[in-house]
Amino acid sequence: GENVEQHPSTLSVQEGDSAVIKCTYSDSASNYFPWYKQELGKRPQLIIDIRSNVGEKKDQRIAVTLNKTAKHFSLHITETQPEDSAVYFCAAIPNYGGSQGNLIFGKGTKLSVKP
Amino acid sequence: NAGVTQTPKFRVLKTGQSMTLLCAQDMNHEYMYWYRQDPGMGLRLIHYSVGEGTTAKGEVPDGYNVSRLKKQNFLLGLESAAPSQTSVYFCASSPGTSGSVGNEQYFGPGTRLTVT
């Protein structure tokens, strides 16, 4: 089955710097890759997602890139701000012969942005 | 429009007690999910439902049961709680899938359960 690995588990950056979180997946048929942000004590919320027919997607300071050949996708946050501090989860949906699977989550990255 | 709500927010159980967690959504979503979140483990799927009257096992179903008698509600039951079930439980819902492509999952606020 699908396996999603996420690195690093913790990341500390200075305000204004960029942050990059990388995930790898095992099932080459996976076709949907969302990123969720979870602030302390809150629920996970979708911040950006990418589908397998697209290589890159951007939304203001956040971008996601997908490399299907290497089976990895990355979250890029530019000009980080203290409010970006949270745990970020990547996920993938495997595709079993045309039948949609369920989201498989990475273990999360705790991002700390220091003012 | 409340989105996804969960009841209760907090609960402390003794080993062997039972309880039911309630999830409700008002977005007319077909799919609903129950996850548990433990430190360093991410979100793990317990059970899910692809429509009213249907349920299926996820990654970690042992010790839990679910029911989806109404489209808007998804119940998670613990028949005999164990300390290993101490966790934060999240419910989520999604419109389902459009063809072979996934859709956003909307999460509830979570239930913090402690089993002593």
Side-chain angles (χ1 to χ4, degrees), chain B residues 1-88:
Chain B
N1 191 330
V4 181
T5 58
Q6 291 182 233
T7 309
K9 289 186 170 54
F10 304 93
R11 186 73 186 267
V12 178
L13 286 180
K14 292 189 186 327
T15 297
Q17 288 184 320
S18 63
M19 77 163 294
T20 300
L21 283 68
L22 171 64
C23 176
Q25 52 96 3
D26 60 4
M27 296 175 283
N28 200 35
H29 284 169
E30 287 294 331
Y31 286 29
M32 296 187 75
Y33 312 83
W34 275 107
Y35 294 91
R36 62 177 289 171
Q37 184 175 38
D38 303 293
M41 297 296 291
L43 290 150
R44 293 184 292 168
L45 184 64
I46 304 171
H47 286 280
Y48 65 101
S49 167
V50 300
E52 181 180 313
T54 74
T55 63
K57 293 180 180 180
E59 180 187 354
V60 288
D62 294 342
Y64 306 95
N65 56 76
V66 287
S67 64
R68 184 124 180 248
L69 299 178
K70 293 183 179 180
K71 186 177 183 178
Q72 63 267 34
N73 295 337
F74 195 28
L75 278 63
L76 177 71
L78 286 73
E79 289 186 350
S80 179
S84 61
Q85 294 177 304
T86 294
S87 188
V88 179

Side-chain angles (χ1 to χ4, degrees), chain A residues 37-43 85-87 110, chain B residues 37 90 112:
Chain A
K37 175 183 180 182
Q38 186 178 27
E39 296 176 359
L40 188 63
K42 302 284 182 65
R43 71 190 80 189
S85 296
V87 178
K110 183 177 181 180
Chain B
Q37 184 175 38
F90 285 99
R112 186 173 294 275

Side-chain angles (χ1 to χ4, degrees), chain A residues 31-32 36 38 41-44 46 51 89 93 95 98 100 102-103 105-107, chain B residues 4 33 35 37 40 42-43 45 48 90 97 100-105 107-109:
Chain A
N31 59 8
Y32 175 64
Y36 284 81
Q38 186 178 27
K42 302 284 182 65
R43 71 190 80 189
L46 181 75
R51 305 187 191 280
F89 293 97
I93 283 192
N95 190 298
Q100 196 78 55
N102 291 305
L103 276 178
F105 284 88
K107 288 182 168 48
Chain B
V4 181
Y33 312 83
Y35 294 91
Q37 184 175 38
L43 290 150
L45 184 64
Y48 65 101
F90 285 99
T97 58
S100 61
V101 184
N103 280 294
E104 176 178 358
Q105 289 191 14
F107 284 82

Side-chain angles (χ1 to χ4, degrees), chain A residues 3-43:
Chain A
N3 182 45
V4 176
E5 295 198 355
Q6 184 171 347
H7 299 281
S9 56
T10 60
L11 180 59
S12 182
V13 300
Q14 287 294 132
E15 183 177 358
D17 287 351
S18 295
V20 181
I21 303 169
K22 182 175 176 179
C23 288
T24 59
Y25 60 98
S26 59
D27 185 351
S28 59
S30 291
N31 59 8
Y32 175 64
F33 307 92
W35 285 90
Y36 284 81
K37 175 183 180 182
Q38 186 178 27
E39 296 176 359
L40 188 63
K42 302 284 182 65
R43 71 190 80 189

Side-chain angles (χ1 to χ4, degrees), chain A residues 45-63:
Chain A
Q45 291 191 298
L46 181 75
I47 54 171
I48 195 167
D49 58 14
I50 192 167
R51 305 187 191 280
S52 58
N53 58 345
V54 175
E56 183 174 357
K57 185 176 179 181
K58 200 170 181 180
D59 183 3
Q60 299 183 335
R61 297 187 295 108
I62 293 173

